[in-house]
Amino acid sequence: MCGIVGAVAQRDVLPILLEGLKRLEYRGYDSAGLAILDRDGKLQRTRVLGKVAELSAATAAEPPVGGTGIAHTRWATHGRPSVDNAHPHVCREQIALVHNGIIENHESMRETLRGEGYEFGSQTDTEVVVNRVHAHRASGRDLLAAVSATVAELDGAYAIGVIDTDEPDRLVAARRGSPLVVGVGIGEHFIASDVFALLPVTRQFIYLEDGDIVDIQRDRLTIYDHTGQVVERPVMTSELAADAVDKAGYRHYMLKEIFSQPVAVADTLTGRIEHGQVLDTAFGMAASDIFSRIEHVHIVACGTSYHAGLVASYWIEALAGLTCRVEIASEYRYRAHVVPENTLFVALSQSGETADTLAALSLARALEYSACLAICNNPESSLTRESDLVFLTRAGPEIGVASTKAFTTQLVALLLLTIALGRRNRIDSELERRLVAELETLPGHINTALQLNDAIGQVAEEFSHKHHALYLGRGTMLPVAMEGALKLKEISYIHAEAYAAGELKHGPLALVDEDMPVIAVAPNNSLLEKLKSNLQEVRARGGVLYLFADSSAGVPAEDAVRVLNLARVPETIAPIVYTIPLQLFAYHIAVIKGADVDQPRNLAKSVTVE
Ligand code: AGP
């Protein structure tokens, strides 16, 4: 989604803005731009269709020099990707504005503004905002008052940064529903969509709350809450190293993140288990008390996080003996609910900023849940701030748009949750000790699975010219297959669908021929023989099989059957381990196809608009 950077400083801010945008590239975007108030008090704006490197090149010949500026990477919502639609938007060479979010009442505002003589040069919803700020300025308000009056008129979600040629040492920013942080410097201050953008210039951050407006000048900053009262927000020190977002020698962030999973999983377990037991406090101080009453679990999430929730539903019902429902957040938020007594609501999100998941959480808070638990990889996200209980996965920053280590650490969190909830029901201390011991072996099992990298690279070579694929799994391996299909789709642009293997002959078998490869995940569990029968059905129709199987599964490689053998893994943790080869498979195919692995077309890392 769109990325925002802004600065008010004594020094020239162009390099800060460009570096900030570069660090926000992972969010996904199609165009980029910046506007700087130069030393003559004029707005210098540059916009490009394409990458930040092109913006950098476009400013290289005559770099704009000035201490106040805003910059933006745009992920198109209203209006196609184009230079005209790229931000910053400017009104009458005076006001420049960047925006992340969606203004829902932009059409009626545009009509009113047209009536007042304002012209529009873009198809965006954003341009009404800059024109409206200008209209309020023209009526005598200063920039702060003009922005306050404007945001009061907006329906929808926004994070904005605004500068004005008539108030050159000032940047006014506001947020509602879209993320925005303030970077606190010495004699200089910044704004950005997330902390990564500003790590080279500061470690001190203020996380704005919904409805906040911040008036930023070089030597002071003042925050107003949604009622217009001056408020103090805590200044937090980021622990992230400035190089936390580099590729560490890997060709892509995604590959680095796949290979960092043993460490990410170990970090997520650290301090959460002791003497063979899960510590309830990992979920918050009130967790013990709340968990002792829980009889049902509702999990809500999007995309990959939804797949993690699906795996957990098998664990929660089979191991903990509690009923569990899992739902996509964009569906959950728009329907009526029956919430049984003693139900725990779990919102699952890597970023903690996914608009649909946040809206689902806000709906859940108004319903009769016992408590809302956030499982999240971002400690300072809206999701963690708005939940009663929080479990932080410790995957570290995930930059590749395709989620990898966030997924496996979410699964670790959900297995810990299963144990903590099940302890009051079906999980006795012996079973708890066994499950905890299995969790502790996970980094080793993942390392072993990663050793398949080269073999998977070779198999990917012959697969890469395919246009479609079916993924099959049974039990917990069905959501793993769904996740594998999602990875392939999003980074290699090969159409892939996952099916419960038993569903094959209820329809999708009609698609199977030599051009429709079938990928199956086959650990040696109680469902293996049934899965093998399904695979025979594929072979009998001339289908080509790619099998990620336990080495003892007894599926021989033959002409149209490629088998990649995994070491024996305990059944409960198998979904986590079997995810690894599917990530590598999608990665290698995308690389062979020359796709933009870390920033696949049309996608954004953190989906902050509906
Ligand atoms: C996964 O590879 C995708 N990037 C996407 O499905 C993602 O998992 C989804 O948008 C949810 O994001 P979240 O976990 O940050 O809420």
Side-chain angles (χ1 to χ4, degrees):
M1 296 276 121
C2 304
I4 287 175
V5 190
V8 184
Q10 181 116 46
R11 53 178 158 161
D12 290 339
V13 293
L14 178 64
I16 298 171
L17 298 180
L18 287 172
E19 175 63 20
L21 288 188
K22 236 186 131 21
R23 288 167 161 263
L24 292 179
E25 281 190 303
Y26 78 96
R27 295 168 68 89
Y29 69 108
D30 47 62
S31 51
L34 57 82
I36 287 176
L37 284 172
D38 71 14
R39 301 287 181 214
D40 300 325
K42 292 215 167 63
L43 269 177
Q44 301 293 346
R45 174 173 66 160
T46 311
R47 298 180 294 174
V48 298
L49 182 60
K51 297 287 181 187
V52 175
E54 287 155 51
L55 181 66
S56 193
T59 53
E62 279 182 62
V65 176
T68 301
I70 49 178
H72 190 264
T73 46
R74 174 174 187 256
W75 187 84
T77 57
H78 293 64
R80 64 193 162 78
S82 71
V83 171
D84 284 344
N85 288 335
H87 301 211
H89 288 286
V90 168
C91 183
R92 299 184 182 170
E93 294 307 313
Q94 181 190 346
I95 313 284
L97 177 142
V98 286
H99 166 225
N100 172 18
I102 289 179
I103 306 303
E104 287 166 6
N105 55 340
H106 68 101
E107 278 170 9
S108 58
M109 288 178 77
R110 182 177 288 115
E111 282 321 301
T112 312
L113 283 159
R114 279 210 173 105
E116 292 167 7
Y118 283 94
E119 287 169 3
F120 290 84
S122 80
Q123 303 153 314
T124 65
D125 52 336
T126 302
E127 208 178 354
V128 299
V129 189
V130 71
N131 286 347
R132 204 64 197 124
V133 173
H134 184 276
H136 284 299
R137 285 285 284 125
S139 73
R141 292 177 169 92
D142 73 354
L143 183 62
L144 174 65
V147 171
S148 306
T150 302
V151 295
E153 298 165 351
L154 303 179
D155 291 337
Y158 58 80
I160 56 171
V162 195
I163 56 175
D164 181 341
T165 53
D166 286 352
E167 300 191 49
D169 296 320
R170 195 176 204 187
L171 162 62
V172 177
R175 72 154 290 219
R176 187 174 74 206
S178 299
L180 195 69
V181 297
V182 176
V184 181
I186 299 168
E188 55 185 13
H189 299 304
F190 314 93
I191 56 164
S193 295
D194 66 41
V195 298
F196 302 132
L198 299 176
L199 286 173
V201 285
T202 185
R203 268 163 200 287
Q204 307 288 107
F205 293 97
I206 296 171
Y207 294 88
L208 295 178
E209 298 203 355
D210 255 6
D212 281 355
I213 297 177
V214 55
D215 180 10
I216 301 178
Q217 303 187 27
R218 276 212 297 264
D219 50 356
R220 69 186 170 87
L221 59 91
T222 314
I223 302 173
Y224 302 84
D225 70 7
H226 67 285
T227 66
Q229 296 300 307
V230 173
V231 281
E232 293 290 327
R233 302 269 179 240
V235 179
M236 325 276 270
T237 304
S238 172
E239 305 280 307
L240 284 170
D243 63 0
V245 291
D246 76 14
K247 291 191 194 136
Y250 286 92
R251 184 165 169 196
H252 295 99
Y253 284 112
M254 184 181 175
L255 191 61
K256 174 190 167 195
E257 286 157 8
I258 291 173
F259 272 85
S260 70
Q261 288 175 108
V263 173
V265 163
D267 287 349
T268 300
L269 287 170
T270 301
R272 270 75 188 264
I273 44 184
E274 207 173 83
H275 309 307
Q277 279 206 318
V278 174
L279 301 174
D280 288 347
T281 47
F283 298 88
M285 295 320 282
S288 266
D289 183 40
I290 293 168
F291 286 177
S292 64
R293 285 176 272 123
I294 296 303
E295 295 171 59
H296 314 277
V297 181
H298 288 177
I299 302 177
V300 171
C302 301
T304 287
S305 298
Y306 169 68
H307 296 155
L310 289 176
V311 174
S313 68
Y314 287 86
W315 288 336
I316 290 170
E317 300 222 331
L319 294 168
L322 307 178
T323 60
C324 181
R325 205 175 72 200
V326 188
E327 192 165 352
I328 292 167
S330 54
E331 291 297 315
Y332 180 93
R333 64 182 288 192
Y334 290 120
R335 69 176 187 87
H337 296 275
V338 175
V339 179
E341 213 176 318
N342 298 325
T343 304
L344 177 69
F345 180 88
V346 182
L348 202 54
S349 170
Q350 184 281 131
S351 62
E353 299 294 350
T354 300
D356 284 322
T357 310
L358 287 173
L361 172 64
S362 138
L363 171 61
R365 291 189 67 80
L367 299 173
E368 299 293 303
Y369 285 101
S370 298
C372 294
L373 163 68
I375 296 180
C376 188
N377 193 39
N378 178 0
E380 293 307 330
S381 60
S382 308
L383 198 77
T384 56
R385 279 200 296 272
E386 287 158 27
S387 301
D388 310 306
L389 301 173
V390 175
F391 183 101
L392 291 175
T393 51
R394 300 204 191 106
E398 189 178 69
I399 305 299
V401 163
S403 196
T404 52
K405 60 180 182 170
F407 178 70
T408 44
T409 53
Q410 280 173 343
L411 289 177
V412 168
L414 288 161
L415 188 48
L416 292 171
L417 176 67
T418 305
I419 298 169
L421 291 172
R423 192 188 291 137
R424 278 92 179 167
N425 199 21
R426 275 203 203 147
I427 299 181
D428 60 18
S429 55
E430 196 190 323
L431 178 55
E432 177 163 5
R433 256 197 310 278
R434 177 168 70 74
L435 292 171
V436 166
E438 288 180 6
L439 273 167
E440 286 174 319
T441 64
L442 252 179
H445 283 297
I446 295 175
N447 259 322
T448 310
L450 286 168
Q451 287 164 19
L452 283 173
N453 187 38
D454 291 344
I456 291 173
Q458 282 164 22
V459 174
E461 195 76 51
E462 60 169 62
F463 186 97
S464 57
H465 63 274
K466 303 285 184 197
H467 299 293
H468 307 276
L470 284 179
Y471 279 67
L472 299 182
R474 277 180 175 263
T476 52
M477 291 299 145
L478 171 58
V480 169
M482 292 165 80
E483 175 58 11
L486 177 64
K487 291 286 90 91
L488 189 71
K489 273 189 272 219
E490 62 182 336
I491 60 169
S492 76
Y493 316 141
I494 292 174
H495 172 231
E497 296 304 333
Y499 276 91
E503 277 291 288
L504 195 61
K505 53 173 132 0
H506 297 286
L509 194 56
L511 296 169
V512 171
D513 62 13
E514 61 280 8
D515 293 325
M516 174 62 87
V518 173
I519 295 128
V521 215
N524 197 346
N525 61 19
S526 52
L527 296 170
L528 179 64
E529 289 312 316
K530 298 211 175 294
L531 179 72
K532 278 160 104 176
S533 311
N534 302 133
L535 301 183
Q536 284 310 322
E537 292 157 10
V538 172
R539 288 294 299 116
R541 271 89 192 165
V544 180
L545 265 177
Y546 294 81
L547 206 55
F548 295 91
D550 187 300
S551 43
S552 62
V555 187
E558 49 184 87
D559 247 7
V561 185
R562 316 274 175 272
V563 183
L564 288 145
N565 280 317
L566 280 88
R568 193 71 188 259
V569 185
E571 185 165 349
T572 305
I573 60 168
I576 307 176
V577 179
Y578 274 74
T579 296
I580 311 296
L582 297 185
Q583 295 170 343
L584 288 168
F585 189 58
Y587 171 78
H588 284 293
I589 292 165
V591 170
I592 294 162
K593 291 190 74 182
D596 189 345
V597 172
D598 287 327
Q599 292 162 38
R601 69 186 181 202
N602 307 339
L603 297 183
K605 180 67 186 165
S606 167
V607 185
T608 54
V609 295
E610 193 177 348

